[in-house]
């Protein structure tokens, strides 16, 4: 039977075959509905014309195709059920999806060379992550997994949801944390962990539809629709693995030195061309901007207390005096609260201004005192607010800001400084 392009396959066609390339293959998932659970895997295929089609296998068919439909390999497939999509998003898209059943025939099409990444599979380089952080954008990325941090469990979910952070890097030499949540950790995470032990070789992964966050300065996290492709057999992955082997000593040293939480590496100073206007950042819109670089002259809120008691796990402020037997109201963990520095600033450039807050290490870096020193000074009746204000007022600050978490917004500050750098006083700024 002559293979057909995907666009010519429809639900009333009695028999057909098509040659496709696997673009995505999800881990095995379980759905719970109507008193029953079903195991399933989702796939995305594309033909030589670039037309994509979604496919799904349920229950026993998931085990039947084990070892087949490997991402980026080509297959001749036929006999799948063709179902119409109830409400297609765009009229010119392929209007059907396929269900892989017991009658579906799948045969690998062997190619002499390792395939390349399909042209419509766009990867975001690590150096561009800062432009997309804390926005609504989803990205695809490829990196080498250098290390796996210990697993942890979320106490806000029932049942408990396991998460794990992995250190990933590409040729930019910018290691960053990728957090796998829930099913992805138990699925793709196990496959990564099995292949990460060797120093000589590390797994390459492609993370599909993940988000960039400003947690840990810059990091990646999965969401419900994310897919992780482990050790994809494509030329680009082979080149990345070869690059790792040529640089493994320096890369593993970067893990030991915790470069994945170093702001100078993740968010180094930027040129003026990278700055956003303050008026654009604060403008109320339906889709607010993500994290942005801004610059302006600083004035300190002299009435703001320069430290508070915080949860040592999630850093949420806690108004507790007694520290024994306390659970954080935000993350529910037992804790001994600790002092954490904070400073509220107004950053002004031209006629526009923005209220921001710096917390923790970033606040200590700006004001020149540790949280412990601030709490001790207050205990001894010494107020450092005026000294801090006199030292900072009028200086020019370049800072990377993001919308504050809810616990900070309740204190009346909508933007938090992720990291910042003082600009030389000789650099002109509009007053």
């Amino acid at each position: 039977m002559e293979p057909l392009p995907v666009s010519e396959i429809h639900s009333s066609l009695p028999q057909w075959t098509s040659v496709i390339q696997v673009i995505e293959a999800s881990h095995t998932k379980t759905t719970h509905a109507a008193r029953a659970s079903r195991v399933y895997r989702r796939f995305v295929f594309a033909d030589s014309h670039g037309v994509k089609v979604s496919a799904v296998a349920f229950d026993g068919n998931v085990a039947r195709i084990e070892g087949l439909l490997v991402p980026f390999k080509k297959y001749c497939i036929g006999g799948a059920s063709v179902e119409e999509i109830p409400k297609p998003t765009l009229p010119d898209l392929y209007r059907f999806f396929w269900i892989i059943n017991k009658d579906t025939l799948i045969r690998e099409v062997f190619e002499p060379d390792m395939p390349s990444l399909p042209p419509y599979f766009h990867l975001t380089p690590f150096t561009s992550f800062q432009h997309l952080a804390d926005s609504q954008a989803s990205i695809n990325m490829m990196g080498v997994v250098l290390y796996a941090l210990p697993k942890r469990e979320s106490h806000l979910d029932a049942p408990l949801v396991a998460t794990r952070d992995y250190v990933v890097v590409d040729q930019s030499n910018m290691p960053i944390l990728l957090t796998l949540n829930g099913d992805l950790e138990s699925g793709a995470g196990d496959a990564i962990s099995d292949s990460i032990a060797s120093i000589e070789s590390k797994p390459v992964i492609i993370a599909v539809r993940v988000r960039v966050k400003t947690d840990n300065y810059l990091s990646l996290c999965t969401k419900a629709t994310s897919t992780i492709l482990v050790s994809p057999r494509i030329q680009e992955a082979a080149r990345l693995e070869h690059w790792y082997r040529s640089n493994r000593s320096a890369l593993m040293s970067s893990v030991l030195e915790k470069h994945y939480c170093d702001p100078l590496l993740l968010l180094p100073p930027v040129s003026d061309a990278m700055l956003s206007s303050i008026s654009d950042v604060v403008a109320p819109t339906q889709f607010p901007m993500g994290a942005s670089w801004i610059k302006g002259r600083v004035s300190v809120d002299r009435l703001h207390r320069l430290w508070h008691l915080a949860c040592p796990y999630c850093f949420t402020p806690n108004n507790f005096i007694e520290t024994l037997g306390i659970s954080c109201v935000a993350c529910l963990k037992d804790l001994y609260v600790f002092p954490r520095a904070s400073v509220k600033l107004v950053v002004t450039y031209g006629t526009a201004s923005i209220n921001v807050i710096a917390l923790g290490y970033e606040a200590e870096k700006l004001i020149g005192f540790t949280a412990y020193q601030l709490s001790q000074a207050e205990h001894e009746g010494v107020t450092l607010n005026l000294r801090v204000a006199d030292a900072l007022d009028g200086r020019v600050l370049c800072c990377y800001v993001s919308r504050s978490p809810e616990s900070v917004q309740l204190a009346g500050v909508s933007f938090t400084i992720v990291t910042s750098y003082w600009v030389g006083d000789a650099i002109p700024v509009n007053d």
Side-chain angles (χ1 to χ4, degrees):
M1 187 181 300
E2 187 70 21
L4 297 175
V6 167
S7 60
E8 295 183 14
I9 298 170
H10 50 82
S11 55
S12 58
L13 199 64
Q15 289 184 319
W16 57 268
T17 63
S18 184
V19 174
I20 53 87
Q21 183 181 26
V22 180
I23 304 301
E24 293 182 33
S26 77
H27 63 287
T28 301
K29 300 181 180 181
T30 303
T31 180
H32 303 276
R35 303 179 183 177
S37 61
R38 299 192 76 182
V39 175
Y40 69 97
R41 284 189 73 188
R42 290 192 178 277
F43 302 87
V44 177
F45 305 147
D47 64 11
S48 60
H49 301 284
V51 178
K52 295 182 183 179
V53 56
S54 295
V56 61
F58 290 103
D59 301 326
N61 290 302
V62 173
R64 193 174 70 82
I65 61 172
E66 183 69 28
L68 293 172
L69 301 180
V70 175
F72 306 117
K73 286 189 175 183
K74 286 186 178 180
Y75 296 87
C76 183
I77 185 170
S81 300
V82 181
E83 303 289 339
E84 189 165 5
I85 298 172
K87 294 181 179 180
T89 53
L90 294 173
D92 56 340
L93 293 181
Y94 182 65
R95 299 184 297 109
F96 303 92
F97 67 96
W98 300 350
I99 299 177
I100 299 169
N101 54 47
K102 62 182 179 61
D103 297 320
T104 303
L105 300 177
I106 302 171
R107 176 175 55 83
E108 183 176 351
V109 177
F110 291 96
E111 297 181 290
D113 299 319
M114 190 179 296
S116 296
L117 194 70
Y120 38 81
F121 200 102
H122 301 293
L123 297 177
T124 301
F126 282 38
T127 51
S128 297
F129 288 168
Q130 61 180 294
H131 307 303
L132 301 163
D134 289 349
S135 69
Q136 298 300 313
S138 295
I139 67 158
N140 306 329
M141 55 75 61
M142 180 168 65
V144 181
V145 183
L146 300 179
Y147 185 72
L149 276 65
K151 284 188 179 184
R152 61 186 189 276
E153 293 179 333
S154 170
H155 290 257
L156 294 178
D157 299 288
L160 296 179
V161 174
T163 64
R164 194 169 193 177
D165 294 329
Y166 297 85
V167 182
V168 295
V169 68
D170 71 353
Q171 291 95 330
S172 65
N173 281 307
M174 193 176 83
I176 194 168
L177 292 181
L178 166 65
T179 303
L180 301 190
N181 298 304
D183 288 343
L184 272 175
E185 167 51 30
S186 58
D190 288 344
I192 294 171
S193 300
D194 290 343
S195 55
I196 204 173
S198 170
I199 294 294
E200 300 297 321
S201 177
K202 296 292 184 184
V204 172
I205 64 167
I206 294 179
V208 183
R209 290 182 298 276
V210 295
R211 295 187 62 188
V212 186
K213 307 290 287 182
T214 52
D215 300 336
N216 213 70
Y217 293 106
L218 273 184
S219 60
L220 303 169
C221 69
T222 59
K223 55 182 188 176
T225 59
S226 299
T227 298
I228 304 296
L229 309 178
V230 183
S231 301
R233 288 181 50 80
I234 52 173
Q235 296 177 18
E236 292 84 352
R239 287 196 291 268
L240 188 55
E241 187 176 359
H242 177 75
W243 170 80
Y244 163 77
R245 289 196 297 268
S246 301
N247 298 274
R248 60 178 175 265
S249 178
L251 290 170
M252 297 313 297
S253 294
S254 74
V255 175
L256 294 175
E257 295 167 11
K258 296 186 177 181
H259 287 177
Y260 51 84
C261 56
D262 185 345
L264 280 172
L265 285 173
L266 301 177
L267 293 167
V270 298
S271 66
D272 282 1
M274 301 270 289
L275 299 175
S276 299
S277 69
I278 291 176
S279 57
D280 286 343
V281 173
V282 300
T285 62
Q286 183 179 359
F287 301 104
M289 293 178 64
S292 308
W293 285 100
I294 61 170
K295 184 173 73 173
R297 204 171 294 281
V298 163
S299 61
V300 178
D301 182 346
R302 300 182 178 219
L303 299 179
H304 174 72
R305 191 183 184 197
L306 294 176
W307 70 278
H308 57 264
L309 292 175
C311 168
Y313 301 103
C314 68
F315 305 117
T316 299
N318 287 268
N319 295 319
F320 299 134
I321 298 175
E322 192 63 48
T323 61
L324 292 175
I326 296 172
S327 294
C328 174
V329 295
C331 67
L332 306 182
K333 289 186 178 181
D334 294 333
L335 59 94
Y336 290 91
V337 292
F338 75 116
R340 192 181 189 215
S342 64
V343 59
K344 289 174 67 174
L345 307 170
V346 178
V347 181
T348 302
Y349 191 97
T351 59
S353 62
I354 184 173
N355 295 307
V356 299
I357 189 168
L359 301 167
Y361 168 74
E362 287 300 319
E364 294 178 351
K365 184 175 71 173
L366 288 172
I367 64 182
F369 294 101
T370 67
Y372 178 76
Q373 289 172 327
L374 294 168
S375 63
Q376 285 296 105
E378 186 174 302
H379 180 72
E380 296 168 4
V382 178
T383 301
L384 297 175
N385 292 58
L386 296 180
R387 188 189 303 184
V388 169
D390 290 341
L392 303 189
D393 281 353
R395 298 185 66 184
V396 177
L397 187 70
C398 181
C399 54
Y400 188 63
V401 298
S402 184
R403 292 193 175 269
S404 301
E406 184 177 352
S407 58
V408 177
Q409 290 193 27
L410 291 175
V413 187
S414 297
F415 294 89
T416 297
I417 293 177
V418 179
T419 195
S420 61
Y421 305 95
W422 291 114
V423 178
D425 294 336
I427 297 179
V429 174
N430 295 334
D431 288 316

